[in-house]
Amino acid sequence: MADFAARLHQVTGELEAAGVLESATGLAQGDEAEVIDPEGRVTPGAGVNATHEPRGLWLLSVEDESHARHWATRLAWACGASVELRPAQT
């Protein structure tokens, strides 16, 4: 766990130094999630059945797709796991 924290701290510093980090946060495990439908009904658990459970979120402001892939690769290294790269809707 110490290696993970050190790698994540290193890459977060790189993101900040490059001026691309807008926001970042960790996410609780899916069993702590709830799905709320438009009528207000609550279903316990994550709303998406996925192979990889999201555990964090980074919002970056980058020049282009090449830079986004670069940072996604750095974050995957820091996490020791795959990361999903998804553009924000504008």
Side-chain angles (χ1 to χ4, degrees):
M1 190 62 151
D3 287 343
F4 165 77
R7 290 190 312 264
L8 196 55
H9 181 74
Q10 176 185 336
V11 174
T12 299
E14 292 172 14
L15 290 164
E16 290 172 336
V20 299
L21 182 62
E22 297 287 334
S23 181
T25 189
L27 298 173
Q29 294 186 30
D31 61 0
E32 296 182 52
E34 297 179 332
V35 176
I36 316 283
D37 73 14
E39 285 77 39
R41 291 182 294 251
V42 177
T43 304
V48 176
N49 294 323
T51 306
H52 302 286
E53 181 178 325
R55 295 303 308 270
L57 173 74
W58 296 269
L59 180 60
L60 308 180
S61 178
V62 295
E63 295 176 26
D64 55 31
E65 193 171 326
S66 171
H67 285 98
R69 286 190 178 129
H70 164 77
W71 290 114
T73 301
R74 294 294 295 141
L75 287 164
W77 170 80
C79 294
S82 298
V83 299
E84 179 179 338
L85 176 60
R86 187 183 298 197
Q89 291 183 330
T90 55

